[in-house]
Amino acid sequence: MNDREINGTPFAGEPRRRIAELLGETGVGAFDRLGVGTAQFGNLGQATTEEQVDAVMESAWEAGLRYFDTAPHYGLGLSERRLGQRLGDLPREEYILSTKVGRLLRPHPWPTETDLDNGFAVAGDLYRERDYTGAGMRRSLEESLKRLGLDRVDIVWIHDPEETEDQTDIALASGAPELERMRQEGLFSAWGVGSKDAAVLRRFVDESTPDLLMVSGRHTLLEQDQVGLMGRCLDQGVGVVAVSVFNSGVLASPWPKDGVWYEYGPAPREVLERARTLARIAEGYGIDLPTAALQFPLRHPAVVNVTVGMRTADHVTSNLHRAGTAVPEAFWDQLHRDGLLPADA
């Protein structure tokens, strides 16, 4: 994968020009390569050691990766603290940093031994207070900067406003206008919404003014949105950062095994069989399923970046290899012919 094309197909367009206006050449350069997701720095699913975090950051930086994403949700602030410690030693003008708002961390009145019920192997001494109001988002950013130990971030995402409809409405009515004011105040350069619900993301594009969207699992090799989100983003110049491109694991290995996860639980049989069909076709063209899954989103001109989580230095190496592997155009053509990709994907 080079800076302008993937498999010979340009993905620069209006969203990319908007990135240049908002984030400058640093942002363009950072988004032209893989982004580093850091949920694993917050002990997602299992503990990640300090040595592993160091190795990921060193490998990523040496490879030229310059976009890093975190959130208070990830390990009850652990990801932000770990990432901020490492970024604090690096030239601030050379990377792009994003975090998320919508969950405030508060002392837990009944601490638990672990936060694994929420997916993270950390002590449950804090809880997440949902607050999608403008005031809550401003507080959230202030608290994130303290955990990061940095004076600014570049991008702020509204995090998962879809989980209850009333929170979506609050985020649209109160949160989004406040983020626009905060951007105009110079507190960050761009704001957007991160969600796994394409319909909710479409509402934000239609009813507010996001610069970017973080689309989680809804524009992948396995499935594409059904609400016209991607075309609408292209029309409005809203760039898409594609995440969860492996759909929680079902696309993460060359052959999806029984029991592999999809959407944070065991993959249903029909999903597993579809993934295996994709894997067989990929193998026939000399590539593997994760390579195709990683490269697919960038074929859409609204997509400005793919960000993936990395727990070890080997993950950095393998993901970079997948990003750089040539995928024959005939592979995509066959997926279209076989009805595994719609014509407008």
Side-chain angles (χ1 to χ4, degrees):
M1 183 172 65
N2 62 34
D3 286 350
R4 294 292 185 269
E5 299 179 341
I6 188 163
N7 291 342
T9 303
F11 61 92
E14 183 59 37
R16 182 185 166 88
R17 288 194 291 272
R18 190 168 180 177
I19 294 301
E21 293 171 0
L22 293 168
L23 300 174
E25 287 306 309
T26 298
V28 172
F31 274 17
D32 272 346
R33 306 213 70 190
L34 291 177
V36 180
T38 64
Q40 286 81 356
F41 290 11
N43 292 356
L44 177 66
Q46 64 187 67
T48 303
T49 67
E50 296 293 334
E51 292 76 16
Q52 286 176 316
V53 174
D54 285 336
V56 168
M57 291 297 294
E58 289 169 7
S59 298
W61 192 265
E62 288 175 6
L65 305 189
R66 295 294 186 269
Y67 172 47
F68 302 90
D69 177 67
T70 184
H73 173 55
Y74 302 157
L76 295 169
L78 178 61
S79 173
E80 288 184 319
R81 292 193 297 273
R82 282 174 156 177
L83 180 59
Q85 289 166 4
R86 275 74 180 181
L87 290 177
D89 295 328
L90 299 171
R92 183 62 185 90
E93 69 279 4
E94 293 186 16
Y95 64 83
I96 296 297
L97 171 62
S98 63
T99 192
K100 303 181 181 73
V101 293
R103 292 175 170 94
L104 297 170
L105 303 182
R106 296 293 178 255
H108 205 307
W110 304 284
T112 57
E113 183 176 346
T114 179
D115 187 52
L116 274 173
D117 283 349
N118 294 299
F120 296 92
V122 297
D125 54 348
L126 301 173
Y127 75 97
R128 301 159 178 85
E129 179 184 284
R130 298 271 183 170
D131 191 337
Y132 292 93
T133 66
M137 292 185 182
R138 193 175 283 264
R139 282 195 302 274
S140 182
L141 178 58
E142 291 170 354
E143 293 171 9
S144 285
L145 290 174
K146 290 179 181 177
R147 286 188 291 269
L148 287 161
L150 300 171
D151 61 1
R152 66 183 172 91
V153 299
D154 301 286
I155 304 166
V156 171
W157 304 101
I158 302 176
H159 199 183
D160 293 340
E162 80 283 353
E163 304 216 342
T164 60
E165 185 174 351
D166 63 323
Q167 296 289 351
T168 301
D169 293 339
I170 291 169
L172 277 164
S174 178
E178 185 68 10
L179 287 180
E180 184 62 29
R181 284 189 286 270
M182 292 165 69
R183 185 177 69 81
Q184 292 173 2
E185 291 170 21
L187 298 180
F188 44 80
S189 299
W191 72 271
V193 188
S195 172
K196 56 185 176 291
D197 189 316
V200 165
L201 290 168
R202 174 68 190 258
R203 281 192 65 189
F204 276 90
V205 176
D206 290 343
E207 301 175 33
S208 66
T209 56
D211 303 302
L212 297 159
L213 294 183
M214 180 172 275
V215 178
S216 178
R218 299 287 80 83
H219 185 69
T220 72
L221 184 65
L222 186 67
E223 60 182 280
Q224 299 80 46
D225 82 88
Q226 303 296 315
V227 298
L229 174 65
M230 302 300 291
R232 182 65 170 158
C233 285
L234 190 60
D235 290 343
Q236 296 297 106
V238 176
V240 170
V241 174
V243 299
S244 297
V245 297
F246 301 127
N247 284 110
S248 296
V250 69
L251 302 180
S253 60
W255 182 255
K257 297 179 181 178
D258 287 344
V260 71
W261 275 34
Y262 164 80
E263 286 293 293
Y264 313 104
R269 176 54 54 179
E270 63 272 17
V271 170
L272 185 62
E273 290 306 319
R274 183 180 179 89
R276 287 174 173 174
T277 298
L278 292 165
R280 289 189 193 97
I281 296 172
E283 184 179 12
Y285 286 92
I287 58 173
D288 65 17
L289 182 61
T291 294
L294 189 66
Q295 293 199 25
F296 166 75
L298 283 171
R299 294 178 63 80
H300 197 290
V303 176
V304 295
N305 179 261
V306 169
T307 289
V308 291
M310 307 187 200
R311 193 187 300 274
T312 68
D314 285 345
H315 291 164
V316 179
T317 301
S318 62
N319 284 321
L320 284 169
H321 176 74
R322 291 164 179 165
T325 298
V327 176
E329 194 65 26
F331 166 73
W332 307 112
D333 292 341
Q334 180 169 343
L335 297 189
H336 286 292
R337 287 196 307 272
D338 292 352
L340 292 164
L341 286 179
D344 61 350

